[in-house]
Amino acid sequence: MTAGPALRTVLDRLAAAYGPQAWWPARDPFEMMAGALLTQRTTWRNAARALAALRCAGALSPEVLAGLRTAELQALVRPAGTFRTKAARLQSMARWYIDSGGWEVLAARSTPELRADLLGLSGVGPETADDILVYAFQRPVFVVDAYARRILSRYGWAGWDQPYERLSDAVASAIGRDTALLGEFHALLVEHGKRHCRATPRCMDCPLAERCRTGLHGATGVAKRAARVPASRE
Ligand code: SF4
């Protein structure tokens, strides 16, 4: 991996190309957390439909959500797919939120404590935990998803198979452990992965092409391997 300024150049170029991403679209931290579970293995559009249904039913608070009948909650989150699993995970998260003492108690915990707690919840892996940490709890962590792996490996900044924690920490360090920048960088990488750095990259007119190893030298073995990394939000 190269030094920080090189990665800031990537961030700056993507920001200039795509503008502010305004992530995460949520009215409060609990809604953000619910959205992070609902968007797993589906598009954000489907997750947003389920969130809208929950909002209409007045169920986007941990207390109401935890008390809903199972069948009712399943019907509300059905647009997000795998609705039985997602309903159970949402209720489990709502109960954890309440049993932990609510927002003020949770927000006072250290990042490692919170992350360990989140990882103990059903359906919360490192990517979802870090989404919640950066966008709901405003902690300076970097979310490593398939887009980040693909783009950073093709660019030549990181190996495509770096262990999650190592890559996350390296990016957070290079960006300067700034919560707003790290959240924006993740959002910009998702946008870039959808527009240019797709499974088959569209290097023509890519804002990173002048400095990207793959853009400069054409499809390499790195690019071919990275292209096989699944992208859940594509
Ligand atoms: S130049 Fe091509 S491989 Fe490099 S970031 Fe852009 S689209 Fe991806």
PDB file of all heavy atoms in Angstrom, residues 132-170:
ATOM      1  N   ILE A 132     -22.629   0.926  10.287  1.00  0.00           N
ATOM      2  CA  ILE A 132     -23.343   1.485  11.444  1.00  0.00           C
ATOM      3  C   ILE A 132     -22.419   2.376  12.265  1.00  0.00           C
ATOM      4  O   ILE A 132     -22.811   3.458  12.706  1.00  0.00           O
ATOM      5  CB  ILE A 132     -23.933   0.336  12.295  1.00  0.00           C
ATOM      6  CG1 ILE A 132     -25.078  -0.351  11.528  1.00  0.00           C
ATOM      7  CG2 ILE A 132     -24.427   0.860  13.648  1.00  0.00           C
ATOM      8  CD1 ILE A 132     -25.587  -1.639  12.170  1.00  0.00           C
ATOM      9  N   LEU A 133     -21.177   1.951  12.428  1.00  0.00           N
ATOM     10  CA  LEU A 133     -20.245   2.757  13.230  1.00  0.00           C
ATOM     11  C   LEU A 133     -19.987   4.121  12.596  1.00  0.00           C
ATOM     12  O   LEU A 133     -19.988   5.148  13.277  1.00  0.00           O
ATOM     13  CB  LEU A 133     -18.922   2.011  13.413  1.00  0.00           C
ATOM     14  CG  LEU A 133     -18.953   0.856  14.412  1.00  0.00           C
ATOM     15  CD1 LEU A 133     -17.654   0.061  14.350  1.00  0.00           C
ATOM     16  CD2 LEU A 133     -19.180   1.378  15.835  1.00  0.00           C
ATOM     17  N   VAL A 134     -19.792   4.149  11.284  1.00  0.00           N
ATOM     18  CA  VAL A 134     -19.433   5.432  10.662  1.00  0.00           C
ATOM     19  C   VAL A 134     -20.650   6.328  10.453  1.00  0.00           C
ATOM     20  O   VAL A 134     -20.578   7.543  10.689  1.00  0.00           O
ATOM     21  CB  VAL A 134     -18.637   5.214   9.350  1.00  0.00           C
ATOM     22  CG1 VAL A 134     -19.499   4.666   8.243  1.00  0.00           C
ATOM     23  CG2 VAL A 134     -17.981   6.518   8.890  1.00  0.00           C
ATOM     24  N   TYR A 135     -21.800   5.739  10.052  1.00  0.00           N
ATOM     25  CA  TYR A 135     -22.938   6.597   9.698  1.00  0.00           C
ATOM     26  C   TYR A 135     -23.917   6.838  10.861  1.00  0.00           C
ATOM     27  O   TYR A 135     -24.568   7.870  10.898  1.00  0.00           O
ATOM     28  CB  TYR A 135     -23.687   6.021   8.501  1.00  0.00           C
ATOM     29  CG  TYR A 135     -22.859   6.001   7.237  1.00  0.00           C
ATOM     30  CD1 TYR A 135     -22.453   4.793   6.676  1.00  0.00           C
ATOM     31  CD2 TYR A 135     -22.465   7.183   6.609  1.00  0.00           C
ATOM     32  CE1 TYR A 135     -21.681   4.760   5.521  1.00  0.00           C
ATOM     33  CE2 TYR A 135     -21.687   7.165   5.456  1.00  0.00           C
ATOM     34  CZ  TYR A 135     -21.305   5.947   4.915  1.00  0.00           C
ATOM     35  OH  TYR A 135     -20.528   5.919   3.776  1.00  0.00           O
ATOM     36  N   ALA A 136     -24.036   5.895  11.786  1.00  0.00           N
ATOM     37  CA  ALA A 136     -24.950   6.104  12.919  1.00  0.00           C
ATOM     38  C   ALA A 136     -24.206   6.650  14.136  1.00  0.00           C
ATOM     39  O   ALA A 136     -24.691   7.563  14.798  1.00  0.00           O
ATOM     40  CB  ALA A 136     -25.660   4.796  13.280  1.00  0.00           C
ATOM     41  N   PHE A 137     -23.012   6.100  14.406  1.00  0.00           N
ATOM     42  CA  PHE A 137     -22.278   6.497  15.618  1.00  0.00           C
ATOM     43  C   PHE A 137     -21.141   7.481  15.351  1.00  0.00           C
ATOM     44  O   PHE A 137     -20.446   7.883  16.287  1.00  0.00           O
ATOM     45  CB  PHE A 137     -21.746   5.248  16.335  1.00  0.00           C
ATOM     46  CG  PHE A 137     -22.831   4.442  16.993  1.00  0.00           C
ATOM     47  CD1 PHE A 137     -23.439   3.387  16.332  1.00  0.00           C
ATOM     48  CD2 PHE A 137     -23.264   4.750  18.283  1.00  0.00           C
ATOM     49  CE1 PHE A 137     -24.460   2.650  16.935  1.00  0.00           C
ATOM     50  CE2 PHE A 137     -24.275   4.016  18.893  1.00  0.00           C
ATOM     51  CZ  PHE A 137     -24.880   2.965  18.215  1.00  0.00           C
ATOM     52  N   GLN A 138     -20.972   7.852  14.077  1.00  0.00           N
ATOM     53  CA  GLN A 138     -19.950   8.867  13.724  1.00  0.00           C
ATOM     54  C   GLN A 138     -18.558   8.479  14.225  1.00  0.00           C
ATOM     55  O   GLN A 138     -17.845   9.296  14.811  1.00  0.00           O
ATOM     56  CB  GLN A 138     -20.342  10.241  14.294  1.00  0.00           C
ATOM     57  CG  GLN A 138     -21.732  10.691  13.912  1.00  0.00           C
ATOM     58  CD  GLN A 138     -21.874  10.908  12.416  1.00  0.00           C
ATOM     59  OE1 GLN A 138     -21.066  11.574  11.810  1.00  0.00           O
ATOM     60  NE2 GLN A 138     -22.895  10.303  11.812  1.00  0.00           N
ATOM     61  N   ARG A 139     -18.182   7.232  13.962  1.00  0.00           N
ATOM     62  CA  ARG A 139     -16.841   6.779  14.343  1.00  0.00           C
ATOM     63  C   ARG A 139     -15.950   6.714  13.090  1.00  0.00           C
ATOM     64  O   ARG A 139     -16.425   6.343  12.012  1.00  0.00           O
ATOM     65  CB  ARG A 139     -16.892   5.402  15.008  1.00  0.00           C
ATOM     66  CG  ARG A 139     -17.827   5.350  16.212  1.00  0.00           C
ATOM     67  CD  ARG A 139     -17.427   6.334  17.298  1.00  0.00           C
ATOM     68  NE  ARG A 139     -18.445   6.424  18.323  1.00  0.00           N
ATOM     69  CZ  ARG A 139     -18.436   5.722  19.452  1.00  0.00           C
ATOM     70  NH1 ARG A 139     -17.454   4.879  19.691  1.00  0.00           N
ATOM     71  NH2 ARG A 139     -19.411   5.864  20.333  1.00  0.00           N
ATOM     72  N   PRO A 140     -14.660   7.024  13.231  1.00  0.00           N
ATOM     73  CA  PRO A 140     -13.777   7.108  12.057  1.00  0.00           C
ATOM     74  C   PRO A 140     -13.280   5.745  11.575  1.00  0.00           C
ATOM     75  O   PRO A 140     -12.111   5.386  11.764  1.00  0.00           O
ATOM     76  CB  PRO A 140     -12.627   7.981  12.561  1.00  0.00           C
ATOM     77  CG  PRO A 140     -12.564   7.687  14.022  1.00  0.00           C
ATOM     78  CD  PRO A 140     -13.970   7.422  14.477  1.00  0.00           C
ATOM     79  N   VAL A 141     -14.184   4.976  10.970  1.00  0.00           N
ATOM     80  CA  VAL A 141     -13.803   3.658  10.441  1.00  0.00           C
ATOM     81  C   VAL A 141     -14.098   3.634   8.941  1.00  0.00           C
ATOM     82  O   VAL A 141     -14.928   4.398   8.452  1.00  0.00           O
ATOM     83  CB  VAL A 141     -14.556   2.510  11.148  1.00  0.00           C
ATOM     84  CG1 VAL A 141     -14.233   2.484  12.632  1.00  0.00           C
ATOM     85  CG2 VAL A 141     -16.059   2.626  10.932  1.00  0.00           C
ATOM     86  N   PHE A 142     -13.425   2.746   8.243  1.00  0.00           N
ATOM     87  CA  PHE A 142     -13.650   2.618   6.803  1.00  0.00           C
ATOM     88  C   PHE A 142     -14.353   1.303   6.509  1.00  0.00           C
ATOM     89  O   PHE A 142     -13.931   0.243   6.963  1.00  0.00           O
ATOM     90  CB  PHE A 142     -12.323   2.677   6.030  1.00  0.00           C
ATOM     91  CG  PHE A 142     -12.514   2.507   4.546  1.00  0.00           C
ATOM     92  CD1 PHE A 142     -13.116   3.513   3.792  1.00  0.00           C
ATOM     93  CD2 PHE A 142     -12.122   1.341   3.912  1.00  0.00           C
ATOM     94  CE1 PHE A 142     -13.326   3.354   2.422  1.00  0.00           C
ATOM     95  CE2 PHE A 142     -12.311   1.175   2.542  1.00  0.00           C
ATOM     96  CZ  PHE A 142     -12.910   2.183   1.804  1.00  0.00           C
ATOM     97  N   VAL A 143     -15.416   1.373   5.741  1.00  0.00           N
ATOM     98  CA  VAL A 143     -16.191   0.184   5.358  1.00  0.00           C
ATOM     99  C   VAL A 143     -15.541  -0.465   4.142  1.00  0.00           C
ATOM    100  O   VAL A 143     -15.425   0.159   3.084  1.00  0.00           O
ATOM    101  CB  VAL A 143     -17.646   0.575   5.004  1.00  0.00           C
ATOM    102  CG1 VAL A 143     -18.440  -0.664   4.614  1.00  0.00           C
ATOM    103  CG2 VAL A 143     -18.302   1.331   6.153  1.00  0.00           C
ATOM    104  N   VAL A 144     -15.127  -1.703   4.305  1.00  0.00           N
ATOM    105  CA  VAL A 144     -14.535  -2.434   3.184  1.00  0.00           C
ATOM    106  C   VAL A 144     -15.632  -3.274   2.539  1.00  0.00           C
ATOM    107  O   VAL A 144     -16.106  -4.244   3.129  1.00  0.00           O
ATOM    108  CB  VAL A 144     -13.395  -3.359   3.657  1.00  0.00           C
ATOM    109  CG1 VAL A 144     -12.846  -4.155   2.481  1.00  0.00           C
ATOM    110  CG2 VAL A 144     -12.293  -2.545   4.328  1.00  0.00           C
ATOM    111  N   ASP A 145     -16.055  -2.881   1.357  1.00  0.00           N
ATOM    112  CA  ASP A 145     -17.033  -3.702   0.638  1.00  0.00           C
ATOM    113  C   ASP A 145     -16.405  -4.167  -0.676  1.00  0.00           C
ATOM    114  O   ASP A 145     -15.233  -3.917  -0.959  1.00  0.00           O
ATOM    115  CB  ASP A 145     -18.343  -2.936   0.419  1.00  0.00           C
ATOM    116  CG  ASP A 145     -18.175  -1.746  -0.502  1.00  0.00           C
ATOM    117  OD1 ASP A 145     -17.017  -1.453  -0.899  1.00  0.00           O
ATOM    118  OD2 ASP A 145     -19.186  -1.108  -0.840  1.00  0.00           O
ATOM    119  N   ALA A 146     -17.217  -4.855  -1.487  1.00  0.00           N
ATOM    120  CA  ALA A 146     -16.679  -5.405  -2.732  1.00  0.00           C
ATOM    121  C   ALA A 146     -16.198  -4.302  -3.669  1.00  0.00           C
ATOM    122  O   ALA A 146     -15.207  -4.468  -4.383  1.00  0.00           O
ATOM    123  CB  ALA A 146     -17.757  -6.250  -3.419  1.00  0.00           C
ATOM    124  N   TYR A 147     -16.887  -3.160  -3.656  1.00  0.00           N
ATOM    125  CA  TYR A 147     -16.454  -2.056  -4.516  1.00  0.00           C
ATOM    126  C   TYR A 147     -15.077  -1.537  -4.094  1.00  0.00           C
ATOM    127  O   TYR A 147     -14.218  -1.259  -4.925  1.00  0.00           O
ATOM    128  CB  TYR A 147     -17.456  -0.903  -4.434  1.00  0.00           C
ATOM    129  CG  TYR A 147     -18.778  -1.181  -5.083  1.00  0.00           C
ATOM    130  CD1 TYR A 147     -19.959  -1.142  -4.349  1.00  0.00           C
ATOM    131  CD2 TYR A 147     -18.865  -1.464  -6.444  1.00  0.00           C
ATOM    132  CE1 TYR A 147     -21.182  -1.385  -4.945  1.00  0.00           C
ATOM    133  CE2 TYR A 147     -20.082  -1.709  -7.052  1.00  0.00           C
ATOM    134  CZ  TYR A 147     -21.245  -1.658  -6.291  1.00  0.00           C
ATOM    135  OH  TYR A 147     -22.447  -1.900  -6.893  1.00  0.00           O
ATOM    136  N   ALA A 148     -14.886  -1.359  -2.799  1.00  0.00           N
ATOM    137  CA  ALA A 148     -13.599  -0.853  -2.319  1.00  0.00           C
ATOM    138  C   ALA A 148     -12.478  -1.818  -2.695  1.00  0.00           C
ATOM    139  O   ALA A 148     -11.416  -1.397  -3.177  1.00  0.00           O
ATOM    140  CB  ALA A 148     -13.650  -0.653  -0.807  1.00  0.00           C
ATOM    141  N   ARG A 149     -12.701  -3.094  -2.483  1.00  0.00           N
ATOM    142  CA  ARG A 149     -11.666  -4.081  -2.824  1.00  0.00           C
ATOM    143  C   ARG A 149     -11.338  -4.015  -4.310  1.00  0.00           C
ATOM    144  O   ARG A 149     -10.181  -4.028  -4.727  1.00  0.00           O
ATOM    145  CB  ARG A 149     -12.137  -5.480  -2.480  1.00  0.00           C
ATOM    146  CG  ARG A 149     -12.113  -5.797  -1.015  1.00  0.00           C
ATOM    147  CD  ARG A 149     -12.348  -7.275  -0.789  1.00  0.00           C
ATOM    148  NE  ARG A 149     -12.419  -7.546   0.631  1.00  0.00           N
ATOM    149  CZ  ARG A 149     -11.360  -7.635   1.432  1.00  0.00           C
ATOM    150  NH1 ARG A 149     -10.147  -7.496   0.941  1.00  0.00           N
ATOM    151  NH2 ARG A 149     -11.512  -7.886   2.710  1.00  0.00           N
ATOM    152  N   ARG A 150     -12.380  -3.988  -5.112  1.00  0.00           N
ATOM    153  CA  ARG A 150     -12.181  -4.006  -6.563  1.00  0.00           C
ATOM    154  C   ARG A 150     -11.429  -2.760  -7.022  1.00  0.00           C
ATOM    155  O   ARG A 150     -10.437  -2.835  -7.747  1.00  0.00           O
ATOM    156  CB  ARG A 150     -13.551  -4.064  -7.248  1.00  0.00           C
ATOM    157  CG  ARG A 150     -13.462  -4.085  -8.760  1.00  0.00           C
ATOM    158  CD  ARG A 150     -14.819  -3.794  -9.363  1.00  0.00           C
ATOM    159  NE  ARG A 150     -15.727  -4.912  -9.209  1.00  0.00           N
ATOM    160  CZ  ARG A 150     -17.034  -4.824  -9.471  1.00  0.00           C
ATOM    161  NH1 ARG A 150     -17.562  -3.681  -9.844  1.00  0.00           N
ATOM    162  NH2 ARG A 150     -17.817  -5.875  -9.337  1.00  0.00           N
ATOM    163  N   ILE A 151     -11.891  -1.593  -6.597  1.00  0.00           N
ATOM    164  CA  ILE A 151     -11.305  -0.340  -7.097  1.00  0.00           C
ATOM    165  C   ILE A 151      -9.880  -0.161  -6.579  1.00  0.00           C
ATOM    166  O   ILE A 151      -8.965   0.164  -7.346  1.00  0.00           O
ATOM    167  CB  ILE A 151     -12.195   0.854  -6.703  1.00  0.00           C
ATOM    168  CG1 ILE A 151     -13.558   0.729  -7.385  1.00  0.00           C
ATOM    169  CG2 ILE A 151     -11.531   2.178  -7.073  1.00  0.00           C
ATOM    170  CD1 ILE A 151     -14.640   1.621  -6.789  1.00  0.00           C
ATOM    171  N   LEU A 152      -9.684  -0.378  -5.278  1.00  0.00           N
ATOM    172  CA  LEU A 152      -8.350  -0.142  -4.709  1.00  0.00           C
ATOM    173  C   LEU A 152      -7.327  -1.142  -5.233  1.00  0.00           C
ATOM    174  O   LEU A 152      -6.151  -0.812  -5.375  1.00  0.00           O
ATOM    175  CB  LEU A 152      -8.416  -0.177  -3.183  1.00  0.00           C
ATOM    176  CG  LEU A 152      -9.250   0.954  -2.555  1.00  0.00           C
ATOM    177  CD1 LEU A 152      -9.291   0.820  -1.034  1.00  0.00           C
ATOM    178  CD2 LEU A 152      -8.714   2.326  -2.959  1.00  0.00           C
ATOM    179  N   SER A 153      -7.767  -2.369  -5.540  1.00  0.00           N
ATOM    180  CA  SER A 153      -6.813  -3.334  -6.093  1.00  0.00           C
ATOM    181  C   SER A 153      -6.518  -3.015  -7.553  1.00  0.00           C
ATOM    182  O   SER A 153      -5.356  -3.057  -7.976  1.00  0.00           O
ATOM    183  CB  SER A 153      -7.323  -4.764  -5.939  1.00  0.00           C
ATOM    184  OG  SER A 153      -8.516  -4.947  -6.663  1.00  0.00           O
ATOM    185  N   ARG A 154      -7.518  -2.663  -8.326  1.00  0.00           N
ATOM    186  CA  ARG A 154      -7.255  -2.296  -9.720  1.00  0.00           C
ATOM    187  C   ARG A 154      -6.393  -1.035  -9.801  1.00  0.00           C
ATOM    188  O   ARG A 154      -5.525  -0.917 -10.664  1.00  0.00           O
ATOM    189  CB  ARG A 154      -8.578  -2.047 -10.455  1.00  0.00           C
ATOM    190  CG  ARG A 154      -9.311  -3.319 -10.810  1.00  0.00           C
ATOM    191  CD  ARG A 154     -10.640  -2.976 -11.438  1.00  0.00           C
ATOM    192  NE  ARG A 154     -11.332  -4.175 -11.882  1.00  0.00           N
ATOM    193  CZ  ARG A 154     -12.603  -4.165 -12.292  1.00  0.00           C
ATOM    194  NH1 ARG A 154     -13.286  -3.037 -12.320  1.00  0.00           N
ATOM    195  NH2 ARG A 154     -13.175  -5.286 -12.684  1.00  0.00           N
ATOM    196  N   TYR A 155      -6.655  -0.123  -8.890  1.00  0.00           N
ATOM    197  CA  TYR A 155      -5.892   1.133  -8.867  1.00  0.00           C
ATOM    198  C   TYR A 155      -4.417   0.877  -8.540  1.00  0.00           C
ATOM    199  O   TYR A 155      -3.533   1.603  -8.958  1.00  0.00           O
ATOM    200  CB  TYR A 155      -6.508   2.071  -7.836  1.00  0.00           C
ATOM    201  CG  TYR A 155      -5.959   3.476  -7.845  1.00  0.00           C
ATOM    202  CD1 TYR A 155      -6.367   4.410  -8.795  1.00  0.00           C
ATOM    203  CD2 TYR A 155      -5.022   3.877  -6.891  1.00  0.00           C
ATOM    204  CE1 TYR A 155      -5.860   5.699  -8.797  1.00  0.00           C
ATOM    205  CE2 TYR A 155      -4.519   5.165  -6.888  1.00  0.00           C
ATOM    206  CZ  TYR A 155      -4.938   6.073  -7.841  1.00  0.00           C
ATOM    207  OH  TYR A 155      -4.437   7.349  -7.828  1.00  0.00           O
ATOM    208  N   GLY A 156      -4.196  -0.206  -7.784  1.00  0.00           N
ATOM    209  CA  GLY A 156      -2.821  -0.547  -7.411  1.00  0.00           C
ATOM    210  C   GLY A 156      -2.470  -0.137  -5.997  1.00  0.00           C
ATOM    211  O   GLY A 156      -1.302  -0.155  -5.617  1.00  0.00           O
ATOM    212  N   TRP A 157      -3.491   0.200  -5.203  1.00  0.00           N
ATOM    213  CA  TRP A 157      -3.217   0.667  -3.836  1.00  0.00           C
ATOM    214  C   TRP A 157      -3.176  -0.474  -2.835  1.00  0.00           C
ATOM    215  O   TRP A 157      -2.472  -0.404  -1.827  1.00  0.00           O
ATOM    216  CB  TRP A 157      -4.282   1.679  -3.415  1.00  0.00           C
ATOM    217  CG  TRP A 157      -3.883   2.460  -2.192  1.00  0.00           C
ATOM    218  CD1 TRP A 157      -3.093   3.576  -2.164  1.00  0.00           C
ATOM    219  CD2 TRP A 157      -4.223   2.168  -0.836  1.00  0.00           C
ATOM    220  NE1 TRP A 157      -2.920   3.997  -0.874  1.00  0.00           N
ATOM    221  CE2 TRP A 157      -3.604   3.153  -0.039  1.00  0.00           C
ATOM    222  CE3 TRP A 157      -4.999   1.171  -0.229  1.00  0.00           C
ATOM    223  CZ2 TRP A 157      -3.735   3.178   1.347  1.00  0.00           C
ATOM    224  CZ3 TRP A 157      -5.124   1.191   1.149  1.00  0.00           C
ATOM    225  CH2 TRP A 157      -4.500   2.189   1.929  1.00  0.00           C
ATOM    226  N   ALA A 158      -3.940  -1.524  -3.089  1.00  0.00           N
ATOM    227  CA  ALA A 158      -4.031  -2.635  -2.131  1.00  0.00           C
ATOM    228  C   ALA A 158      -4.206  -3.945  -2.874  1.00  0.00           C
ATOM    229  O   ALA A 158      -4.684  -3.968  -4.010  1.00  0.00           O
ATOM    230  CB  ALA A 158      -5.219  -2.411  -1.191  1.00  0.00           C
ATOM    231  N   GLY A 159      -3.829  -5.021  -2.223  1.00  0.00           N
ATOM    232  CA  GLY A 159      -4.097  -6.337  -2.788  1.00  0.00           C
ATOM    233  C   GLY A 159      -5.591  -6.628  -2.667  1.00  0.00           C
ATOM    234  O   GLY A 159      -6.227  -6.223  -1.695  1.00  0.00           O
ATOM    235  N   TRP A 160      -6.179  -7.304  -3.643  1.00  0.00           N
ATOM    236  CA  TRP A 160      -7.633  -7.527  -3.646  1.00  0.00           C
ATOM    237  C   TRP A 160      -8.075  -8.448  -2.523  1.00  0.00           C
ATOM    238  O   TRP A 160      -9.225  -8.410  -2.109  1.00  0.00           O
ATOM    239  CB  TRP A 160      -8.095  -8.074  -4.997  1.00  0.00           C
ATOM    240  CG  TRP A 160      -7.691  -9.501  -5.238  1.00  0.00           C
ATOM    241  CD1 TRP A 160      -6.489  -9.927  -5.722  1.00  0.00           C
ATOM    242  CD2 TRP A 160      -8.469 -10.664  -4.984  1.00  0.00           C
ATOM    243  NE1 TRP A 160      -6.465 -11.287  -5.780  1.00  0.00           N
ATOM    244  CE2 TRP A 160      -7.661 -11.769  -5.344  1.00  0.00           C
ATOM    245  CE3 TRP A 160      -9.758 -10.888  -4.499  1.00  0.00           C
ATOM    246  CZ2 TRP A 160      -8.110 -13.082  -5.226  1.00  0.00           C
ATOM    247  CZ3 TRP A 160     -10.207 -12.197  -4.382  1.00  0.00           C
ATOM    248  CH2 TRP A 160      -9.391 -13.276  -4.741  1.00  0.00           C
ATOM    249  N   ASP A 161      -7.144  -9.268  -1.994  1.00  0.00           N
ATOM    250  CA  ASP A 161      -7.540 -10.227  -0.959  1.00  0.00           C
ATOM    251  C   ASP A 161      -6.980  -9.849   0.423  1.00  0.00           C
ATOM    252  O   ASP A 161      -6.811 -10.705   1.284  1.00  0.00           O
ATOM    253  CB  ASP A 161      -7.082 -11.637  -1.340  1.00  0.00           C
ATOM    254  CG  ASP A 161      -5.586 -11.688  -1.627  1.00  0.00           C
ATOM    255  OD1 ASP A 161      -4.944 -10.615  -1.641  1.00  0.00           O
ATOM    256  OD2 ASP A 161      -5.070 -12.795  -1.848  1.00  0.00           O
ATOM    257  N   GLN A 162      -6.720  -8.557   0.647  1.00  0.00           N
ATOM    258  CA  GLN A 162      -6.265  -8.110   1.970  1.00  0.00           C
ATOM    259  C   GLN A 162      -7.283  -8.498   3.041  1.00  0.00           C
ATOM    260  O   GLN A 162      -8.486  -8.353   2.813  1.00  0.00           O
ATOM    261  CB  GLN A 162      -6.179  -6.585   1.988  1.00  0.00           C
ATOM    262  CG  GLN A 162      -5.013  -6.003   1.219  1.00  0.00           C
ATOM    263  CD  GLN A 162      -3.736  -6.053   2.020  1.00  0.00           C
ATOM    264  OE1 GLN A 162      -3.745  -5.739   3.193  1.00  0.00           O
ATOM    265  NE2 GLN A 162      -2.661  -6.455   1.379  1.00  0.00           N
ATOM    266  N   PRO A 163      -6.859  -8.940   4.221  1.00  0.00           N
ATOM    267  CA  PRO A 163      -7.809  -9.201   5.301  1.00  0.00           C
ATOM    268  C   PRO A 163      -8.610  -7.933   5.604  1.00  0.00           C
ATOM    269  O   PRO A 163      -8.082  -6.812   5.519  1.00  0.00           O
ATOM    270  CB  PRO A 163      -6.909  -9.566   6.482  1.00  0.00           C
ATOM    271  CG  PRO A 163      -5.638 -10.039   5.864  1.00  0.00           C
ATOM    272  CD  PRO A 163      -5.474  -9.261   4.595  1.00  0.00           C
ATOM    273  N   TYR A 164      -9.885  -8.116   5.956  1.00  0.00           N
ATOM    274  CA  TYR A 164     -10.798  -6.974   6.142  1.00  0.00           C
ATOM    275  C   TYR A 164     -10.218  -5.921   7.087  1.00  0.00           C
ATOM    276  O   TYR A 164     -10.115  -4.737   6.731  1.00  0.00           O
ATOM    277  CB  TYR A 164     -12.155  -7.472   6.688  1.00  0.00           C
ATOM    278  CG  TYR A 164     -13.165  -6.354   6.803  1.00  0.00           C
ATOM    279  CD1 TYR A 164     -14.171  -6.206   5.850  1.00  0.00           C
ATOM    280  CD2 TYR A 164     -13.104  -5.414   7.833  1.00  0.00           C
ATOM    281  CE1 TYR A 164     -15.085  -5.156   5.927  1.00  0.00           C
ATOM    282  CE2 TYR A 164     -14.003  -4.366   7.914  1.00  0.00           C
ATOM    283  CZ  TYR A 164     -14.989  -4.245   6.973  1.00  0.00           C
ATOM    284  OH  TYR A 164     -15.878  -3.198   7.055  1.00  0.00           O
ATOM    285  N   GLU A 165      -9.854  -6.342   8.300  1.00  0.00           N
ATOM    286  CA  GLU A 165      -9.435  -5.358   9.298  1.00  0.00           C
ATOM    287  C   GLU A 165      -8.172  -4.608   8.860  1.00  0.00           C
ATOM    288  O   GLU A 165      -8.029  -3.415   9.114  1.00  0.00           O
ATOM    289  CB  GLU A 165      -9.203  -6.019  10.661  1.00  0.00           C
ATOM    290  CG  GLU A 165     -10.467  -6.111  11.523  1.00  0.00           C
ATOM    291  CD  GLU A 165     -11.437  -7.172  11.018  1.00  0.00           C
ATOM    292  OE1 GLU A 165     -10.993  -8.063  10.248  1.00  0.00           O
ATOM    293  OE2 GLU A 165     -12.630  -7.112  11.376  1.00  0.00           O
ATOM    294  N   ARG A 166      -7.277  -5.319   8.192  1.00  0.00           N
ATOM    295  CA  ARG A 166      -6.030  -4.683   7.770  1.00  0.00           C
ATOM    296  C   ARG A 166      -6.290  -3.604   6.719  1.00  0.00           C
ATOM    297  O   ARG A 166      -5.757  -2.494   6.786  1.00  0.00           O
ATOM    298  CB  ARG A 166      -5.097  -5.761   7.215  1.00  0.00           C
ATOM    299  CG  ARG A 166      -3.667  -5.331   7.204  1.00  0.00           C
ATOM    300  CD  ARG A 166      -2.736  -6.489   6.951  1.00  0.00           C
ATOM    301  NE  ARG A 166      -1.565  -6.005   6.220  1.00  0.00           N
ATOM    302  CZ  ARG A 166      -0.847  -6.737   5.409  1.00  0.00           C
ATOM    303  NH1 ARG A 166      -1.144  -7.990   5.204  1.00  0.00           N
ATOM    304  NH2 ARG A 166       0.184  -6.221   4.799  1.00  0.00           N
ATOM    305  N   LEU A 167      -7.133  -3.929   5.759  1.00  0.00           N
ATOM    306  CA  LEU A 167      -7.437  -2.957   4.710  1.00  0.00           C
ATOM    307  C   LEU A 167      -8.219  -1.773   5.273  1.00  0.00           C
ATOM    308  O   LEU A 167      -7.940  -0.613   4.954  1.00  0.00           O
ATOM    309  CB  LEU A 167      -8.224  -3.643   3.579  1.00  0.00           C
ATOM    310  CG  LEU A 167      -8.594  -2.770   2.382  1.00  0.00           C
ATOM    311  CD1 LEU A 167      -7.363  -2.076   1.790  1.00  0.00           C
ATOM    312  CD2 LEU A 167      -9.268  -3.613   1.299  1.00  0.00           C
ATOM    313  N   SER A 168      -9.191  -2.072   6.142  1.00  0.00           N
ATOM    314  CA  SER A 168      -9.995  -1.005   6.745  1.00  0.00           C
ATOM    315  C   SER A 168      -9.100  -0.045   7.525  1.00  0.00           C
ATOM    316  O   SER A 168      -9.207   1.188   7.406  1.00  0.00           O
ATOM    317  CB  SER A 168     -11.048  -1.623   7.670  1.00  0.00           C
ATOM    318  OG  SER A 168     -11.733  -0.614   8.360  1.00  0.00           O
ATOM    319  N   ASP A 169      -8.191  -0.585   8.313  1.00  0.00           N
ATOM    320  CA  ASP A 169      -7.321   0.257   9.131  1.00  0.00           C
ATOM    321  C   ASP A 169      -6.356   1.058   8.255  1.00  0.00           C
ATOM    322  O   ASP A 169      -6.084   2.235   8.530  1.00  0.00           O
ATOM    323  CB  ASP A 169      -6.548  -0.621  10.124  1.00  0.00           C
ATOM    324  CG  ASP A 169      -5.825   0.219  11.158  1.00  0.00           C
ATOM    325  OD1 ASP A 169      -6.499   0.988  11.866  1.00  0.00           O
ATOM    326  OD2 ASP A 169      -4.589   0.132  11.233  1.00  0.00           O
ATOM    327  N   ALA A 170      -5.852   0.434   7.198  1.00  0.00           N
ATOM    328  CA  ALA A 170      -4.908   1.137   6.323  1.00  0.00           C
ATOM    329  C   ALA A 170      -5.577   2.329   5.642  1.00  0.00           C
ATOM    330  O   ALA A 170      -4.993   3.412   5.538  1.00  0.00           O
ATOM    331  CB  ALA A 170      -4.356   0.166   5.276  1.00  0.00           C
TER     332      ALA A 170
END
